[in-house]
Amino acid sequence: MNLFEYRGGRLWCEQQQVADLAARFDTPLYVYSAGTLQAHYERFRAAFAALDPLICYSIKCCSNVHILRRLAGWGSGFDVVSGGELCRALQAGAGPAKFVFAGVGKTVAEMQAALRAGVGLLNVESESEMAELVAVAGALGLTADVAVRLNPDVDAKTHPYTTTGTQENKFGVGPEQARELFHAYRATPAVRLRGLHLHIGSPVHDVQPYVAAIERALDLIATLRCDGSDVDTLDIGGGFGAHYRGGEAPPAEAYAAALVPLLHGRGLRVILEPGRSIAANAGLLVTRVLHVKDSGRRRFAIVDASMNELIRPALYSAYHFVWPLDAGARIPADFRGDQPFAGLETYDVVGPICESSDFLAKDRPLPPVRRGDLLAVFTCGAYAMSMASQYNSRPRAAEVLVEGDVVQLIRRRETYVDLLRAEEVG
Ligand code: LLP
């Protein structure tokens, strides 16, 4: 479900016409729908309600603090992976007991910050990290609640860059090593070993890899309990899909139907870390066509958004549906770009950056595009702004949040002063 829709051939976000937002805030512009965000969060929560889980929204997918405040207000905790994300989570107002801190390379300063803040769970990914955490917690006189991240060696069949649960990947430790860690640190006062963490990849469009990974984790938990550990927590991570083309992502209820029976009644507190499934379809990127040109082989729509604002096509060959804001009568009701109809032309939609990887869409059927037209790049609520850069010294774009007919600027457009601020050092 999302609250972006064409009415009378014009794109609306809730009760705001998206073209009006572009006129008011300029382009490129990220537009988020608060209603969509909330609906996705609530639907996910309801699907897994039988487990009474702790939902820790994964900040890395869309980290604007105004969005985090909304999520905190709806009861969400946060999955953080850096001191910066911890800082955002604390600003957002959810209690730190609802934070989980993952990541293969936590620094001493980040461990100290997490421990001082009272983060609910630190997900430890190596023996080296565990030893350091014990030293850091010991020096502070604090006890860290810890889950060991299990690498279950399950292939989630995502893009190779976003698969995280096989032995090829840097994440977590295998079951034997996890058992050794529990054995070695069970009686160490500076850490309380609470359980296991998993995160197998993103997006995972099949429930089967989750089932396989969780079964391995449950087997290991049974062994750890036999060994004498009080395991009470299983964090199954995120990775749940979102629709880019439409139809590819199982609904929250389908993941829940497979996973709830596996996890129910095990004496475990279950933690979930969804990101994309909550945020992706709650946002889009609006861009203006600067020029149209034809190389003889390809027709290019050169737009003012770029790999700065959306790096996913360049990095993962990701598909994002692109369509004019003002589609006139030309768009069939459920059109998602896959069934070209009469009158379309094929374009590469590209940005101004000096790289041939700077494209938002390739070989895309579009109504004839003219200079000045506004285009929407859909499904940009996750891993778009949060992966944005200033490459080519282009200030980052603004973000607005729409709720009904109310519009809130939640991040102003950066300026050239912002570009240079951190370089004012001497
Ligand atoms: N938990 C952990 C430990 C993670 O590493 C991630 C994502 C998540 C949860 C949230 O996953 P989600 O529910 O959003 O799929 N930049 C890539 C995605 C990288 C995901 C990294 N980890 C993309 O644009 O597709």
Side-chain angles (χ1 to χ4, degrees):
M1 110 89 191
N2 80 62
L3 297 173
F4 294 99
E5 61 179 5
Y6 283 92
R7 290 182 219 149
R10 301 241 159 88
L11 184 61
W12 289 72
C13 173
E14 304 200 12
Q15 301 312 317
Q16 281 288 332
Q17 203 179 138
V18 178
D20 292 342
L21 300 173
R24 184 166 157 203
F25 297 102
D26 207 354
T27 55
L29 179 70
Y30 300 96
V31 178
Y32 302 99
S33 153
T36 308
L37 204 62
Q38 182 167 15
H40 288 174
Y41 174 78
E42 295 297 352
R43 185 169 174 179
F44 195 85
R45 197 184 52 74
F48 284 92
L51 297 172
D52 191 22
L54 172 60
I55 297 179
C56 292
Y57 167 82
S58 190
I59 288 187
K60 66 176 79 66
C61 86
C62 184
S63 43
N64 186 294
V65 71
H66 298 273
I67 285 181
L68 302 186
R69 283 190 188 123
R70 298 289 177 124
L71 282 149
W74 302 326
S76 185
F78 295 116
D79 156 42
V80 307
V81 290
S82 69
E85 286 193 352
L86 175 60
C87 172
R88 286 180 180 277
L90 289 166
Q91 288 285 320
K98 288 186 178 176
F99 300 171
V100 296
F101 196 135
V104 290
K106 300 177 197 74
T107 64
V108 167
E110 286 174 328
M111 290 178 187
Q112 287 170 336
L115 290 163
R116 287 201 178 104
V119 161
L121 198 65
L122 281 126
N123 294 334
V124 166
E125 307 222 14
S126 64
E127 150 69 27
S128 164
E129 183 190 347
M130 185 76 92
E132 185 143 70
L133 180 60
V134 166
V136 172
L140 291 175
L142 295 170
T143 303
D145 279 299
V146 167
V148 173
R149 180 163 176 177
L150 173 67
N151 184 321
D153 200 23
V154 166
D155 186 356
K157 303 220 160 44
T158 68
H159 188 282
Y161 293 177
T162 58
T163 286
T164 52
T166 79
Q167 283 182 353
E168 297 296 316
N169 308 127
K170 66 184 172 183
F171 300 98
V173 298
E176 272 316 306
Q177 229 186 324
R179 194 176 172 194
E180 281 162 22
L181 284 173
F182 271 80
H183 182 72
Y185 290 94
R186 189 177 299 135
T188 307
V191 285
R192 220 169 2 233
L193 297 179
R194 303 290 299 268
L196 298 178
H197 174 225
L198 293 165
H199 175 74
I200 55 176
S202 166
V204 186
H205 288 147
D206 183 3
V207 295
Q208 212 41 49
Y210 285 100
V211 170
I214 289 170
E215 280 173 347
R216 284 181 198 177
L218 291 173
D219 282 352
L220 179 58
I221 287 170
T223 307
L224 296 172
R225 283 176 169 165
C226 280
D227 292 346
S229 292
D230 292 329
V231 177
D232 67 2
T233 299
L234 178 58
D235 177 349
I236 67 166
F240 310 99
H243 295 305
Y244 288 83
R245 294 172 186 272
E248 70 266 50
E253 296 79 14
Y255 292 106
L259 305 186
V260 169
L262 260 183
L263 293 164
H264 199 260
R266 303 266 183 184
L268 291 168
R269 171 182 61 142
V270 175
I271 302 176
L272 298 152
E273 302 172 348
R276 184 193 316 266
S277 54
I278 309 286
N281 274 306
L284 53 73
L285 173 63
V286 185
T287 185
R288 189 176 292 279
V289 178
L290 300 173
H291 305 286
V292 178
K293 73 183 225 183
D294 200 319
S295 72
R297 267 196 224 144
R298 303 189 83 85
R299 191 183 291 116
F300 296 101
I302 302 166
V303 300
D304 64 1
S306 67
M307 65 197 294
N308 284 147
E309 288 74 29
L310 179 67
I311 201 172
R312 302 189 72 256
L315 205 51
Y316 319 115
S317 305
Y319 175 97
H320 285 258
F321 179 54
V322 178
W323 202 252
L325 256 53
D326 183 354
R330 292 169 297 195
I331 188 163
D334 55 353
F335 182 69
R336 277 311 249 181
D338 286 339
Q339 330 87 21
F341 52 91
L344 302 186
E345 294 174 340
T346 302
Y347 292 86
D348 286 357
V349 181
V350 301
I353 299 270
C354 304
E355 297 224 12
S356 294
S357 59
D358 180 28
F359 61 91
L360 302 178
K362 275 203 167 159
D363 287 324
R364 214 47 85 71
L366 285 169
V369 165
R370 292 173 307 272
R371 270 193 81 168
D373 283 356
L374 291 166
L375 304 178
V377 185
F378 286 81
T379 329
C380 279
Y383 304 111
M385 177 52 166
S386 66
M387 297 179 81
S389 77
Q390 297 170 327
Y391 181 43
N392 280 203
S393 289
R394 288 162 41 89
R396 272 178 289 239
E399 296 177 290
V400 295
L401 180 63
V402 176
E403 183 170 30
D405 60 0
V406 178
V407 183
Q408 187 189 359
L409 178 66
I410 57 171
R411 192 175 209 274
R412 64 165 173 78
R413 190 172 300 285
E414 289 181 356
T415 64
Y416 295 151
V417 174
D418 294 321
L419 285 183
L420 286 161
R421 179 157 294 148
E423 293 163 37
E424 287 163 6
V425 286

